Coordinates of all heavy atoms in Angstrom, one line a residue:
M484 N -3.9 -15.2 3.2 CA -3.9 -14.4 4.5 C -5.3 -14.2 4.9 O -6.1 -13.5 4.3 CB -3.2 -13.1 4.2 CG -3.0 -12.3 5.4 SD -2.7 -10.5 5.0 CE -0.9 -10.6 4.9
E485 N -5.7 -14.8 6.1 CA -7.1 -14.8 6.5 C -7.5 -13.3 6.8 O -8.6 -13.0 6.5 CB -7.2 -15.6 7.8 CG -8.6 -15.9 8.2 CD -8.7 -16.8 9.4 OE1 -7.8 -17.7 9.5 OE2 -9.5 -16.5 10.3
D486 N -6.7 -12.5 7.5 CA -7.1 -11.2 7.8 C -7.3 -10.4 6.5 O -8.3 -9.6 6.5 CB -6.0 -10.5 8.6 CG -5.9 -11.0 10.0 OD1 -6.8 -11.7 10.4 OD2 -4.9 -10.8 10.7
L487 N -6.5 -10.5 5.5 CA -6.7 -9.8 4.3 C -8.0 -10.2 3.7 O -8.8 -9.3 3.2 CB -5.5 -10.1 3.3 CG -5.6 -9.4 1.9 CD1 -5.7 -7.9 2.0 CD2 -4.5 -9.9 1.1
A488 N -8.3 -11.4 3.6 CA -9.6 -11.9 3.0 C -10.8 -11.3 3.8 O -11.8 -10.9 3.2 CB -9.7 -13.4 3.1
R489 N -10.6 -11.2 5.1 CA -11.7 -10.6 5.9 C -11.9 -9.1 5.6 O -13.1 -8.7 5.5 CB -11.4 -10.8 7.4 CG -12.6 -10.7 8.3 CD -12.4 -11.1 9.7 NE -11.4 -10.3 10.4 CZ -10.3 -10.8 11.0 NH1 -10.1 -12.1 11.1 NH2 -9.5 -10.0 11.6
V490 N -10.9 -8.4 5.5 CA -11.0 -7.0 5.2 C -11.5 -6.8 3.8 O -12.5 -6.0 3.5 CB -9.6 -6.2 5.3 CG1 -9.7 -4.8 4.8 CG2 -9.1 -6.2 6.8
L491 N -11.0 -7.5 2.8 CA -11.4 -7.3 1.4 C -12.8 -7.7 1.1 O -13.4 -7.4 0.1 CB -10.4 -8.0 0.5 CG -9.0 -7.4 0.5 CD1 -8.1 -8.2 -0.5 CD2 -9.0 -5.9 0.2
K492 N -13.3 -8.5 2.1 CA -14.7 -9.0 1.9 C -15.7 -7.8 1.9 O -16.8 -7.9 1.4 CB -15.1 -10.0 3.0 CG -16.3 -10.8 2.8 CD -16.4 -11.8 3.9 CE -16.7 -11.3 5.2 NZ -17.0 -12.3 6.3
H493 N -15.3 -6.7 2.5 CA -16.2 -5.5 2.7 C -15.9 -4.4 1.8 O -16.4 -3.3 2.0 CB -16.1 -5.0 4.2 CG -16.5 -6.0 5.2 ND1 -17.8 -6.4 5.4 CD2 -15.8 -6.8 6.0 CE1 -17.9 -7.3 6.3 NE2 -16.6 -7.6 6.7
V494 N -15.1 -4.7 0.8 CA -14.8 -3.6 -0.2 C -14.8 -4.2 -1.6 O -14.6 -5.3 -1.9 CB -13.4 -3.0 0.0 CG1 -13.3 -2.4 1.4 CG2 -12.3 -4.0 -0.2
D495 N -15.2 -3.3 -2.5 CA -15.0 -3.5 -3.9 C -13.9 -2.6 -4.4 O -13.9 -1.4 -4.1 CB -16.2 -3.2 -4.7 CG -17.4 -4.2 -4.4 OD1 -17.0 -5.4 -4.2 OD2 -18.5 -3.8 -4.4
I496 N -12.9 -3.1 -5.1 CA -11.8 -2.3 -5.6 C -11.8 -2.4 -7.1 O -11.6 -3.4 -7.7 CB -10.5 -2.7 -5.0 CG1 -10.5 -2.6 -3.5 CG2 -9.3 -1.8 -5.6 CD1 -9.2 -3.1 -2.8
K497 N -12.0 -1.2 -7.7 CA -11.8 -1.1 -9.2 C -10.3 -0.7 -9.4 O -10.0 0.4 -9.1 CB -12.8 -0.1 -9.8 CG -12.8 -0.1 -11.3 CD -13.8 0.8 -11.9 CE -13.8 0.8 -13.4 NZ -14.7 1.9 -13.9
V498 N -9.5 -1.6 -9.9 CA -8.1 -1.4 -10.0 C -7.7 -0.6 -11.2 O -8.1 -1.0 -12.3 CB -7.4 -2.8 -9.9 CG1 -5.9 -2.6 -10.1 CG2 -7.7 -3.5 -8.7
A499 N -7.0 0.5 -11.0 CA -6.5 1.3 -12.1 C -5.3 0.6 -12.8 O -4.7 -0.3 -12.2 CB -6.1 2.7 -11.6
T500 N -5.0 1.0 -14.0 CA -3.9 0.4 -14.7 C -2.5 0.7 -14.0 O -1.6 -0.2 -13.9 CB -3.8 0.9 -16.1 OG1 -5.1 0.7 -16.7 CG2 -2.8 0.2 -17.0
D501 N -2.4 1.9 -13.5 CA -1.1 2.3 -12.9 C -1.3 2.5 -11.4 O -2.3 2.8 -10.9 CB -0.7 3.6 -13.5 CG -0.4 3.5 -15.0 OD1 0.2 2.5 -15.4 OD2 -0.8 4.4 -15.8
S502 N -0.2 2.3 -10.7 CA -0.2 2.4 -9.3 C -0.4 3.9 -8.9 O 0.1 4.8 -9.5 CB 1.2 1.9 -8.7 OG 1.2 2.1 -7.3
H503 N -1.1 4.0 -7.7 CA -1.2 5.4 -7.1 C -0.3 5.5 -5.9 O -0.4 6.5 -5.2 CB -2.7 5.6 -6.7 CG -3.2 4.6 -5.7 ND1 -3.4 3.3 -6.0 CD2 -3.5 4.8 -4.4 CE1 -3.9 2.7 -5.0 NE2 -3.9 3.5 -4.0
I504 N 0.6 4.5 -5.8 CA 1.6 4.6 -4.7 C 3.0 4.4 -5.2 O 3.3 3.5 -6.0 CB 1.3 3.4 -3.7 CG1 -0.2 3.4 -3.3 CG2 2.2 3.5 -2.5 CD1 -0.6 2.1 -2.6
Y505 N 3.9 5.4 -4.8 CA 5.2 5.3 -5.3 C 6.2 5.5 -4.2 O 5.9 6.1 -3.1 CB 5.5 6.5 -6.3 CG 4.5 6.5 -7.5 CD1 3.3 7.2 -7.5 CD2 4.9 5.7 -8.7 CE1 2.5 7.2 -8.6 CE2 4.0 5.7 -9.8 CZ 2.8 6.4 -9.7 OH 1.9 6.4 -10.8
L506 N 7.5 5.1 -4.4 CA 8.6 5.4 -3.5 C 9.3 6.6 -4.1 O 9.6 6.7 -5.3 CB 9.5 4.2 -3.4 CG 8.9 3.0 -2.8 CD1 9.8 1.8 -2.9 CD2 8.4 3.2 -1.4
K507 N 9.7 7.5 -3.2 CA 10.6 8.6 -3.7 C 11.9 8.1 -4.1 O 12.5 8.5 -5.1 CB 10.7 9.7 -2.6 CG 9.4 10.5 -2.3 CD 9.7 11.5 -1.2 CE 8.4 12.2 -0.8 NZ 8.5 13.0 0.4
D508 N 12.5 7.2 -3.3 CA 13.8 6.6 -3.6 C 13.8 5.2 -3.1 O 14.0 5.0 -1.8 CB 14.9 7.5 -2.9 CG 16.3 7.0 -3.2 OD1 16.4 5.9 -3.8 OD2 17.2 7.6 -2.8
P509 N 13.7 4.2 -3.9 CA 13.8 2.8 -3.5 C 15.0 2.4 -2.7 O 14.9 1.5 -1.8 CB 13.7 2.0 -4.8 CG 13.1 2.9 -5.8 CD 13.5 4.3 -5.4
D510 N 16.1 3.1 -2.9 CA 17.3 2.8 -2.1 C 17.2 3.1 -0.7 O 17.9 2.5 0.2 CB 18.5 3.6 -2.7 CG 19.0 3.0 -4.0 OD1 18.7 1.8 -4.3 OD2 19.7 3.7 -4.8
I511 N 16.4 4.1 -0.3 CA 16.2 4.4 1.1 C 15.6 3.2 1.8 O 16.0 2.9 3.0 CB 15.2 5.6 1.2 CG1 16.0 6.9 0.7 CG2 14.8 5.8 2.7 CD1 15.1 8.1 0.7
C512 N 14.8 2.4 1.2 CA 14.2 1.2 1.8 C 15.2 0.2 2.2 O 15.0 -0.5 3.2 CB 13.1 0.6 0.9 SG 11.8 1.7 0.5
K513 N 16.3 0.1 1.5 CA 17.3 -0.9 1.8 C 17.9 -0.6 3.2 O 18.3 -1.5 3.9 CB 18.4 -0.9 0.8 CG 18.0 -1.3 -0.6 CD 19.2 -1.2 -1.6 CE 18.7 -1.4 -3.0 NZ 19.7 -1.0 -4.0
D514 N 18.0 0.6 3.6 CA 18.6 1.0 4.9 C 17.5 1.2 6.0 O 17.9 1.6 7.1 CB 19.4 2.3 4.7 CG 20.6 2.1 3.7 OD1 21.1 1.0 3.7 OD2 20.9 3.1 2.9
C515 N 16.3 1.0 5.7 CA 15.2 1.1 6.6 C 15.1 -0.2 7.4 O 14.6 -1.2 6.9 CB 13.9 1.4 5.9 SG 12.5 1.5 7.0
A516 N 15.6 -0.2 8.6 CA 15.8 -1.5 9.4 C 14.5 -2.1 9.7 O 14.3 -3.3 9.5 CB 16.6 -1.2 10.6
E517 N 13.5 -1.4 10.2 CA 12.3 -2.0 10.7 C 11.2 -2.2 9.6 O 10.3 -2.9 9.7 CB 11.7 -1.1 11.8 CG 12.6 -0.8 13.0 CD 12.9 -2.1 13.7 OE1 12.1 -3.0 13.7 OE2 14.0 -2.2 14.3
K518 N 11.3 -1.4 8.5 CA 10.4 -1.5 7.4 C 8.9 -1.5 7.9 O 8.1 -2.4 7.7 CB 10.6 -2.7 6.5 CG 12.0 -2.6 5.9 CD 12.3 -3.8 5.0 CE 13.6 -3.7 4.3 NZ 14.8 -3.2 5.0
P519 N 8.6 -0.4 8.7 CA 7.2 -0.4 9.3 C 6.1 -0.4 8.3 O 5.0 -0.9 8.6 CB 7.2 0.9 10.1 CG 8.3 1.7 9.5 CD 9.3 0.8 9.0
C520 N 6.3 -0.1 7.0 CA 5.2 -0.1 6.1 C 4.7 -1.5 5.9 O 3.6 -1.7 5.5 CB 5.7 0.5 4.7 SG 7.0 -0.4 4.0
T521 N 5.6 -2.5 6.1 CA 5.2 -3.9 6.0 C 4.3 -4.3 7.1 O 3.7 -5.4 7.1 CB 6.4 -4.9 5.9 OG1 7.1 -4.8 7.1 CG2 7.3 -4.5 4.7
L522 N 4.1 -3.5 8.1 CA 3.3 -3.8 9.3 C 2.1 -2.9 9.4 O 1.0 -3.4 9.8 CB 4.2 -3.6 10.6 CG 5.4 -4.5 10.7 CD1 6.2 -4.1 11.9 CD2 5.1 -5.9 10.7
F523 N 2.2 -1.6 9.1 CA 1.1 -0.7 9.4 C 0.0 -0.8 8.3 O -1.2 -0.4 8.6 CB 1.5 0.7 9.6 CG 2.1 1.5 8.4 CD1 1.3 1.8 7.3 CD2 3.4 1.9 8.4 CE1 1.8 2.5 6.2 CE2 3.9 2.6 7.3 CZ 3.2 2.9 6.2
C524 N 0.2 -1.2 7.1 CA -0.8 -1.3 6.1 C -1.8 -2.4 6.4 O -1.4 -3.6 6.5 CB -0.2 -1.5 4.7 SG -1.5 -1.7 3.5
P525 N -3.1 -2.1 6.6 CA -4.0 -3.1 7.0 C -4.3 -4.2 6.0 O -4.8 -5.3 6.3 CB -5.3 -2.3 7.2 CG -5.2 -1.1 6.4 CD -3.7 -0.8 6.4
T526 N -3.9 -4.0 4.7 CA -4.1 -5.0 3.7 C -2.8 -5.5 3.1 O -2.8 -6.1 2.0 CB -5.0 -4.5 2.6 OG1 -4.5 -3.2 2.1 CG2 -6.4 -4.3 3.1
G527 N -1.7 -5.2 3.8 CA -0.4 -5.8 3.4 C 0.1 -5.4 2.0 O 0.6 -6.2 1.3
V528 N -0.2 -4.2 1.7 CA 0.2 -3.7 0.3 C 1.7 -3.8 0.1 O 2.2 -4.1 -1.0 CB -0.3 -2.2 0.1 CG1 0.4 -1.6 -1.1 CG2 -1.8 -2.2 -0.1
F529 N 2.5 -3.5 1.2 CA 4.0 -3.5 1.1 C 4.5 -4.8 1.6 O 4.2 -5.3 2.7 CB 4.5 -2.4 2.0 CG 4.0 -1.0 1.6 CD1 2.9 -0.5 2.3 CD2 4.5 -0.3 0.6 CE1 2.3 0.7 1.9 CE2 4.0 1.0 0.2 CZ 2.9 1.5 0.9
Y530 N 5.4 -5.4 0.9 CA 6.2 -6.6 1.4 C 7.6 -6.5 0.8 O 7.8 -6.0 -0.3 CB 5.5 -7.9 1.1 CG 5.4 -8.3 -0.3 CD1 6.4 -9.2 -0.9 CD2 4.4 -7.9 -1.2 CE1 6.3 -9.6 -2.2 CE2 4.4 -8.3 -2.5 CZ 5.3 -9.1 -3.0 OH 5.3 -9.5 -4.3
W531 N 8.5 -7.1 1.6 CA 9.9 -7.1 1.2 C 10.3 -8.4 0.6 O 10.1 -9.4 1.2 CB 10.8 -6.7 2.4 CG 12.2 -6.6 2.1 CD1 13.2 -7.6 2.2 CD2 12.9 -5.5 1.6 NE1 14.4 -7.1 1.8 CE2 14.2 -5.8 1.4 CE3 12.4 -4.2 1.2 CZ2 15.2 -4.9 0.9 CZ3 13.4 -3.3 0.7 CH2 14.7 -3.7 0.5
D532 N 10.8 -8.4 -0.6 CA 11.4 -9.6 -1.2 C 12.5 -9.1 -2.1 O 12.3 -8.8 -3.3 CB 10.4 -10.4 -2.0 CG 11.0 -11.6 -2.6 OD1 12.1 -12.0 -2.2 OD2 10.3 -12.2 -3.5
K533 N 13.7 -8.9 -1.5 CA 14.9 -8.4 -2.2 C 14.7 -6.9 -2.4 O 15.7 -6.1 -2.5 CB 15.2 -9.1 -3.5 CG 15.5 -10.6 -3.3 CD 16.0 -11.2 -4.6 CE 16.3 -12.6 -4.4 NZ 15.2 -13.5 -4.8
H534 N 13.5 -6.4 -2.6 CA 13.3 -4.9 -2.6 C 11.8 -4.8 -2.2 O 11.1 -5.7 -1.9 CB 13.4 -4.4 -4.1 CG 12.5 -5.0 -5.1 ND1 11.3 -4.5 -5.4 CD2 12.6 -6.2 -5.8 CE1 10.7 -5.3 -6.3 NE2 11.5 -6.3 -6.6
L535 N 11.4 -3.5 -2.0 CA 10.1 -3.3 -1.5 C 9.1 -3.4 -2.6 O 9.2 -2.7 -3.7 CB 10.0 -1.9 -0.9 CG 8.7 -1.7 -0.1 CD1 8.7 -2.6 1.2 CD2 8.4 -0.2 0.3
N536 N 8.1 -4.3 -2.5 CA 7.1 -4.5 -3.5 C 5.8 -3.8 -3.0 O 5.5 -3.8 -1.8 CB 6.8 -6.0 -3.6 CG 8.0 -6.8 -4.2 OD1 8.1 -6.9 -5.4 ND2 8.9 -7.3 -3.3
I537 N 5.1 -3.3 -3.9 CA 3.9 -2.5 -3.6 C 2.7 -3.1 -4.4 O 2.6 -2.9 -5.6 CB 4.0 -1.0 -4.0 CG1 5.2 -0.5 -3.2 CG2 2.8 -0.3 -3.6 CD1 5.6 1.0 -3.6
T538 N 1.8 -3.8 -3.7 CA 0.7 -4.4 -4.4 C -0.5 -3.4 -4.2 O -1.4 -3.6 -3.5 CB 0.3 -5.8 -3.8 OG1 0.1 -5.6 -2.4 CG2 1.4 -6.8 -4.0
Y539 N -0.4 -2.3 -5.0 CA -1.4 -1.2 -4.9 C -2.8 -1.7 -5.2 O -3.8 -1.0 -4.7 CB -1.0 -0.1 -5.9 CG -1.3 -0.4 -7.4 CD1 -2.5 0.0 -7.9 CD2 -0.4 -1.2 -8.1 CE1 -2.8 -0.3 -9.2 CE2 -0.7 -1.5 -9.5 CZ -1.9 -1.0 -10.0 OH -2.2 -1.3 -11.3
E540 N -3.0 -2.9 -5.8 CA -4.3 -3.4 -6.1 C -5.1 -3.6 -4.8 O -6.3 -3.7 -4.9 CB -4.2 -4.7 -6.9 CG -3.5 -4.5 -8.2 CD -2.0 -4.8 -8.1 OE1 -1.4 -4.6 -7.0 OE2 -1.4 -5.1 -9.2
H541 N -4.4 -3.8 -3.7 CA -5.1 -4.1 -2.4 C -5.3 -2.9 -1.5 O -5.8 -3.0 -0.4 CB -4.3 -5.2 -1.6 CG -4.3 -6.5 -2.2 ND1 -3.5 -7.5 -1.9 CD2 -5.1 -7.0 -3.2 CE1 -3.7 -8.6 -2.6 NE2 -4.7 -8.3 -3.4
C542 N -4.9 -1.7 -2.0 CA -5.0 -0.5 -1.2 C -6.5 -0.2 -0.9 O -7.3 -0.1 -1.8 CB -4.4 0.6 -1.9 SG -4.5 2.2 -1.0
I543 N -6.8 0.0 0.4 CA -8.2 0.4 0.7 C -8.3 1.8 1.1 O -9.3 2.3 1.8 CB -8.8 -0.6 1.9 CG1 -7.9 -0.5 3.1 CG2 -9.0 -2.0 1.4 CD1 -8.6 -1.2 4.3
E544 N -7.3 2.6 0.8 CA -7.3 4.0 0.9 C -7.5 4.5 2.4 O -8.2 5.4 2.6 CB -8.3 4.7 0.0 CG -8.0 4.3 -1.5 CD -9.2 4.7 -2.4 OE1 -9.9 5.6 -2.1 OE2 -9.3 4.0 -3.4
C545 N -6.8 3.8 3.3 CA -7.0 4.2 4.7 C -6.2 5.5 5.0 O -6.5 6.1 6.0 CB -6.5 3.1 5.6 SG -4.7 2.9 5.8
G546 N -5.2 5.8 4.2 CA -4.5 7.1 4.3 C -3.3 7.1 5.3 O -2.8 8.1 5.6
A547 N -2.9 5.9 5.7 CA -1.8 5.8 6.7 C -0.4 6.0 6.0 O 0.5 6.4 6.7 CB -1.8 4.4 7.3
C548 N -0.3 5.7 4.7 CA 1.0 5.8 4.1 C 1.8 7.1 4.3 O 2.9 7.0 4.7 CB 0.8 5.6 2.6 SG 0.6 4.0 2.0
P549 N 1.2 8.2 4.1 CA 2.0 9.4 4.2 C 2.6 9.7 5.6 O 3.5 10.4 5.8 CB 1.1 10.6 3.8 CG 0.0 9.9 3.1 CD -0.2 8.5 3.7
F550 N 2.0 9.0 6.6 CA 2.3 9.2 8.0 C 3.2 8.1 8.6 O 3.9 8.3 9.5 CB 1.1 9.4 8.9 CG 0.2 10.5 8.4 CD1 -1.0 10.1 7.7 CD2 0.4 11.8 8.5 CE1 -1.9 11.0 7.2 CE2 -0.4 12.8 8.0 CZ -1.6 12.4 7.3
G551 N 3.1 6.9 8.0 CA 3.7 5.8 8.6 C 5.2 5.5 8.2 O 5.9 4.9 9.0
C552 N 5.7 6.1 7.1 CA 7.1 5.9 6.8 C 8.0 6.9 7.5 O 7.8 8.1 7.4 CB 7.2 6.1 5.2 SG 9.0 6.0 4.7
P553 N 8.9 6.4 8.3 CA 9.8 7.3 9.0 C 10.7 8.1 8.2 O 11.3 9.1 8.6 CB 10.6 6.3 9.9 CG 10.6 5.0 9.2 CD 9.3 4.9 8.5
F554 N 10.9 7.7 6.9 CA 11.7 8.5 6.0 C 10.9 9.3 5.0 O 11.5 9.9 4.0 CB 12.7 7.6 5.2 CG 13.6 6.9 6.2 CD1 13.3 5.6 6.6 CD2 14.8 7.5 6.6 CE1 14.2 4.9 7.4 CE2 15.6 6.8 7.5 CZ 15.4 5.5 7.9
N555 N 9.6 9.4 5.2 CA 8.7 10.1 4.3 C 9.0 9.7 2.8 O 9.1 10.6 2.0 CB 8.9 11.6 4.5 CG 7.9 12.5 3.8 OD1 6.7 12.0 3.6 ND2 8.2 13.7 3.5
N556 N 9.1 8.5 2.6 CA 9.6 8.0 1.3 C 8.4 7.5 0.4 O 8.7 7.0 -0.7 CB 10.6 6.8 1.5 CG 11.4 6.5 0.3 OD1 11.6 7.3 -0.5 ND2 11.8 5.2 0.2
I557 N 7.2 7.5 0.9 CA 6.1 7.0 0.2 C 5.3 8.2 -0.4 O 4.9 9.1 0.4 CB 5.1 6.2 1.0 CG1 5.9 5.0 1.6 CG2 3.9 5.7 0.2 CD1 5.1 4.2 2.6
I558 N 5.0 8.2 -1.7 CA 4.1 9.1 -2.3 C 2.8 8.4 -2.5 O 2.7 7.4 -3.2 CB 4.6 9.7 -3.6 CG1 5.9 10.4 -3.4 CG2 3.6 10.6 -4.3 CD1 6.6 10.8 -4.6
W559 N 1.8 8.8 -1.8 CA 0.4 8.2 -1.9 C -0.6 9.2 -2.4 O -0.6 10.3 -1.9 CB 0.0 7.6 -0.6 CG -1.3 6.9 -0.7 CD1 -1.5 5.6 -1.0 CD2 -2.6 7.5 -0.4 NE1 -2.9 5.3 -0.9 CE2 -3.6 6.4 -0.6 CE3 -3.1 8.7 0.0 CZ2 -4.9 6.6 -0.4 CZ3 -4.4 8.9 0.1 CH2 -5.3 7.9 -0.1
T560 N -1.4 8.9 -3.4 CA -2.5 9.7 -3.8 C -3.7 8.8 -4.0 O -3.6 7.6 -3.9 CB -2.2 10.4 -5.2 OG1 -2.0 9.3 -6.2 CG2 -0.9 11.2 -5.2
Y561 N -4.8 9.5 -4.1 CA -6.0 8.7 -4.4 C -5.9 8.1 -5.8 O -5.3 8.8 -6.7 CB -7.3 9.5 -4.3 CG -7.7 9.8 -2.9 CD1 -7.5 11.0 -2.3 CD2 -8.3 8.8 -2.1 CE1 -7.8 11.2 -1.0 CE2 -8.7 9.0 -0.8 CZ -8.4 10.2 -0.2 OH -8.8 10.4 1.1
P562 N -6.5 7.0 -6.1 CA -6.5 6.5 -7.5 C -7.2 7.5 -8.4 O -8.0 8.3 -7.9 CB -7.2 5.1 -7.4 CG -7.2 4.7 -6.0 CD -7.1 6.0 -5.2
P563 N -7.0 7.4 -9.7 CA -7.7 8.3 -10.6 C -9.2 8.1 -10.5 O -9.7 7.1 -10.1 CB -7.1 8.0 -12.0 CG -6.5 6.6 -11.8 CD -6.1 6.5 -10.4
G564 N -9.9 9.2 -10.9 CA -11.4 9.1 -10.9 C -12.0 7.9 -11.4 O -11.7 7.4 -12.5
G565 N -12.9 7.4 -10.7 CA -13.6 6.2 -11.1 C -13.0 4.9 -10.7 O -13.6 3.8 -10.8
Y566 N -11.7 5.0 -10.2 CA -11.0 3.8 -9.7 C -10.9 3.8 -8.2 O -11.0 4.9 -7.6 CB -9.7 3.7 -10.4 CG -9.8 3.4 -11.8 CD1 -9.7 4.4 -12.8 CD2 -9.9 2.1 -12.3 CE1 -9.9 4.1 -14.1 CE2 -10.0 1.8 -13.6 CZ -10.0 2.8 -14.6 OH -10.1 2.6 -15.9
G567 N -10.5 2.7 -7.6 CA -10.2 2.7 -6.2 C -11.3 1.9 -5.4 O -12.0 1.1 -6.0
V568 N -11.4 2.2 -4.1 CA -12.2 1.4 -3.3 C -13.6 1.9 -3.0 O -13.9 3.1 -3.1 CB -11.5 1.3 -1.9 CG1 -11.5 2.6 -1.1 CG2 -12.0 0.1 -1.1
E569 N -14.5 1.0 -2.9 CA -15.9 1.3 -2.5 C -16.3 0.4 -1.4 O -16.1 -0.8 -1.5 CB -16.8 1.1 -3.7 CG -18.2 1.6 -3.4 CD -19.1 1.5 -4.7 OE1 -18.7 1.9 -5.8 OE2 -20.2 0.9 -4.5
Y570 N -16.7 1.0 -0.2 CA -17.0 0.2 1.0 C -18.4 -0.3 1.0 O -19.3 0.4 0.5 CB -16.7 1.0 2.2 CG -15.2 1.1 2.5 CD1 -14.5 2.2 1.9 CD2 -14.5 0.3 3.3 CE1 -13.2 2.4 2.2 CE2 -13.2 0.4 3.6 CZ -12.5 1.5 3.0 OH -11.2 1.6 3.2
H571 N -18.6 -1.5 1.5 CA -20.0 -2.0 1.7 C -20.0 -2.9 2.9 O -18.9 -3.3 3.4 CB -20.5 -2.7 0.4 CG -19.7 -3.8 0.0 ND1 -19.7 -5.1 0.6 CD2 -18.8 -3.9 -1.0 CE1 -18.9 -5.9 0.1 NE2 -18.3 -5.2 -0.9
S572 N -21.2 -3.2 3.5 CA -21.2 -4.0 4.7 C -21.2 -5.5 4.3 O -21.3 -5.9 3.2 CB -22.5 -3.7 5.4 OG -23.6 -3.9 4.6
Ligands
SF4_2054 S1 8.9 2.4 5.9 FE1 9.4 3.8 4.2 S2 11.6 3.7 4.0 FE2 11.0 1.9 5.2 S3 10.8 0.2 3.8 FE3 8.7 1.2 4.0 S4 8.6 2.8 2.4 FE4 10.8 2.2 2.6
SF4_2055 S1 -3.4 4.0 2.1 FE1 -3.6 2.4 3.7 S2 -4.4 0.6 2.7 FE2 -3.5 2.0 1.1 S3 -1.4 1.3 0.9 FE3 -1.4 3.0 2.4 S4 -1.6 1.9 4.4 FE4 -2.1 0.4 2.9

């Protein structure tokens, strides 16, 4: 994905062992017709393949998750201390 490569070129991500992004109820996603999370995330963290997959390793901590899901189904926190994204030019 060319856009993803362009965004990730400007960040370093120290990936934690565990995800900092969770679903409250994965079954809700099955009935979510538009699945906007697969569109609003700038680095494509969410993708649908039989169920909602979350590639938390690509999260650049833009903070859109808690606001973008129409069912308030995403729990997003910052990665634990020392992990996560660091921006550079
Ligand atoms: S927008 Fe929310 S409910 Fe819909 S698929 Fe994404 S996480 Fe699930
Ligand atoms: S915080 Fe931003 S970059 Fe991270 S998963 Fe949510 S929308 Fe994607």
Side-chain angles (χ1 to χ4, degrees):
M484 183 198 274
E485 190 179 323
D486 288 347
L487 176 59
R489 197 169 63 234
V490 172
L491 294 181
K492 193 170 72 176
H493 298 288
V494 300
D495 291 323
I496 300 177
K497 188 175 177 187
V498 178
T500 307
D501 298 319
S502 178
H503 59 290
I504 307 167
Y505 302 93
L506 299 172
K507 291 179 184 171
D508 181 354
D510 284 342
I511 290 175
C512 299
K513 294 177 188 167
D514 297 323
C515 176
E517 303 295 333
K518 298 181 177 39
C520 61
T521 64
L522 303 173
F523 67 65
C524 175
T526 52
V528 164
F529 303 93
Y530 70 94
W531 183 262
D532 181 13
K533 300 188 179 94
H534 61 90
L535 193 70
N536 294 270
I537 302 175
T538 53
Y539 74 96
E540 299 91 336
H541 290 165
C542 176
I543 58 170
E544 301 169 29
C545 77
C548 280
F550 307 102
C552 173
F554 296 98
N555 193 25
N556 196 28
I557 302 173
I558 299 173
W559 183 86
T560 61
Y561 285 103
Y566 292 94
V568 71
E569 186 177 313
Y570 287 87
H571 57 79
S572 56

